[in-house]
Amino acid sequence: MRRALALGALLLPLPVAAQGQAGGQLNLYCSATIEWCNPIARGFERETGIRVILNQRSTGEMLAAIRAEARNPRGDVWWGGTGDPHVAAGEEGLTQPYDSPRIAELHDWAQAQWRQTQGRTVGVYASVLGFGFNTELIARRNLPAPRCWADLLNPAYRGEIQMANPNSSGTAYIVIATLVQMMGEDPAFDYLKRLHGSINAYPRSGTAPITAVARGETALSISFVHNAAEEAAAGFPVGHAVPCEGTGYEIGSMSIIRGARNLANAQRFYHWALSAEAQLAASQEAKKLQTMANRNVPLTDGAPNMATARIIDYDNARFGSSAERRRLLARWDREVGALPR
């Protein structure tokens, strides 16, 4: 049930905190998992007494919804999910700039995204891209644990890998963008076409593949490594690896939607959500292992350390742009998604 909820759109009025008087409401669009979204919404309600209406969808689905609502916006703030769709939304004029005094408290990667988008989006957490694998399944099937991108083309993995659908998943789009930057575009799409034969499903949600790994439904996934670490911390037989050749990363982002009906509350939420206190409390309640944007939030025990990973110089400006995103997704649909399995 927990995972099913995370895949759909939710419209959840949360109970107003007892302390203080309610100060109107906030329509919060959230593209993290529901386990992340609920603590963020509850924490803000407890702090302010403002009633939060929570709508949770994957990043690609939320971007499509915000586009559809552009003439009559229903959301106030969009929190979480990979940063590329947030960057695209800002480029399309769907979000608006905001300058919080807390910007100076953030890691360089979070500040850089804010500057790059002229204040239209800001990083709130980050994690590196890698592989998850079910340690029991790979032992039972005598499969090697993957360590490099090249390893995934091993014929032994045929039918054993899941990757999300990049049309609905920001995670999967980052896979494409990462490979293009590392290999060059044509070699990257050749790699994806060869990998296709080993993919058993392209689910809509970016977290669905690692969930399938944890449940023993597939042996391997291409996922953010913090998701694999969280499954392992929950007691599932899950290991993870950061690709030896190098890898990309996500910046989970936050944006204020242009035309927000509750703009003052949206700005208040934005400022609160960048605080070390809010980020620490919500990440602990949600049991999340990303690197949080505020420098004053310590790395949680068991969390992958971005500082030790071989991370590429990910071009957020180019690959977050609407035109580049649409072009690469269209090419994936033609050359990879349309292939038989």
Side-chain angles (χ1 to χ4, degrees):
M1 179 179 179
R2 173 172 67 93
R3 298 292 181 182
L5 285 175
L7 299 178
L10 299 177
L11 201 59
L12 302 177
L14 299 170
V16 175
Q19 67 178 64
Q21 296 296 315
Q25 73 177 42
L26 178 80
N27 296 310
L28 177 61
Y29 282 9
C30 187
S31 291
T33 61
I34 198 63
E35 296 89 347
W36 241 135
C37 300
N38 275 333
I40 287 291
R42 283 195 297 262
F44 184 64
E45 284 194 334
R46 284 193 298 266
E47 178 71 20
T48 65
I50 294 169
R51 181 171 181 257
V52 176
I53 306 297
L54 175 62
N55 185 316
Q56 189 273 340
R57 304 185 196 190
S58 70
T59 319
E61 291 172 325
M62 194 65 82
L63 176 58
I66 292 171
R67 283 171 172 156
E69 296 169 4
R71 293 188 177 183
N72 185 26
R74 298 180 59 194
D76 298 315
V77 177
W78 183 14
W79 187 93
T82 51
D84 290 337
H86 283 262
V87 174
E91 185 185 64
E92 295 173 34
L94 299 172
T95 55
Q96 62 187 65
Y98 184 61
D99 183 1
S100 166
R102 288 209 168 101
I103 296 295
E105 300 175 20
L106 308 182
H107 284 291
D108 291 344
W109 46 263
Q111 293 192 45
Q113 187 186 62
W114 181 80
R115 289 192 299 271
Q116 171 206 317
T117 60
Q118 292 78 50
R120 289 179 174 83
T121 193
V122 66
V124 288
Y125 57 78
S127 182
V128 296
L129 188 65
F131 316 131
F133 49 90
N134 187 296
T135 55
E136 293 178 353
L137 273 184
I138 64 170
R140 190 181 311 146
R141 297 174 183 173
N142 198 28
L143 298 171
R147 298 299 174 195
C148 306
W149 289 108
D151 293 345
L152 298 189
L153 299 181
N154 186 334
Y157 291 143
R158 189 166 184 85
E160 300 282 4
I161 304 173
Q162 279 194 21
M163 169 181 151
N165 188 313
N167 288 291
S168 57
S169 164
T171 302
Y173 175 73
I174 286 181
V175 174
I176 297 172
T178 292
L179 294 174
V180 167
Q181 291 171 83
M182 290 180 60
M183 301 177 180
E185 186 168 329
D186 289 342
F189 274 88
D190 179 65
Y191 175 90
L192 289 165
K193 285 183 276 190
R194 294 168 66 195
L195 181 66
H196 179 81
S198 294
I199 301 290
N200 59 53
Y202 292 105
R204 294 187 64 78
S205 166
T207 56
I210 192 62
T211 302
V213 165
R215 291 175 174 173
E217 297 168 359
T218 192
L220 285 77
S221 70
I222 304 176
S223 309
F224 289 116
V225 294
H226 78 272
N227 292 131
E230 288 162 9
E231 296 290 2
F236 292 99
V238 175
H240 69 268
V242 176
C244 69
E245 304 97 332
T247 193
Y249 63 98
E250 73 162 332
I251 298 178
S253 301
M254 174 172 60
S255 309
I256 294 178
I257 296 170
R258 180 172 293 280
R261 299 177 186 181
N262 303 290
L263 180 58
N265 288 344
Q267 292 171 340
R268 188 172 180 183
F269 175 89
Y270 187 110
H271 183 67
W272 170 85
L274 294 181
S275 71
E277 295 79 11
Q279 293 187 1
L280 180 61
S283 62
Q284 288 180 339
E285 183 177 344
K287 297 181 172 59
K288 293 298 175 182
L289 298 180
Q290 290 104 323
T291 299
M292 302 309 297
N294 194 299
R295 290 194 186 96
N296 298 310
V297 180
L299 200 65
T300 305
D301 289 345
N305 190 343
M306 289 182 63
T308 63
R310 187 176 181 183
I311 298 174
I312 67 170
D313 185 14
Y314 192 96
D315 189 343
N316 287 287
R318 174 185 168 189
F319 291 93
S321 72
S322 298
E324 186 71 352
R325 182 182 178 85
R326 281 194 295 266
R327 189 184 69 79
L328 289 175
L329 290 177
R331 182 169 182 179
W332 186 89
D333 285 339
R334 288 193 312 270
E335 298 185 17
V336 183
L339 291 173
R341 282 207 310 275

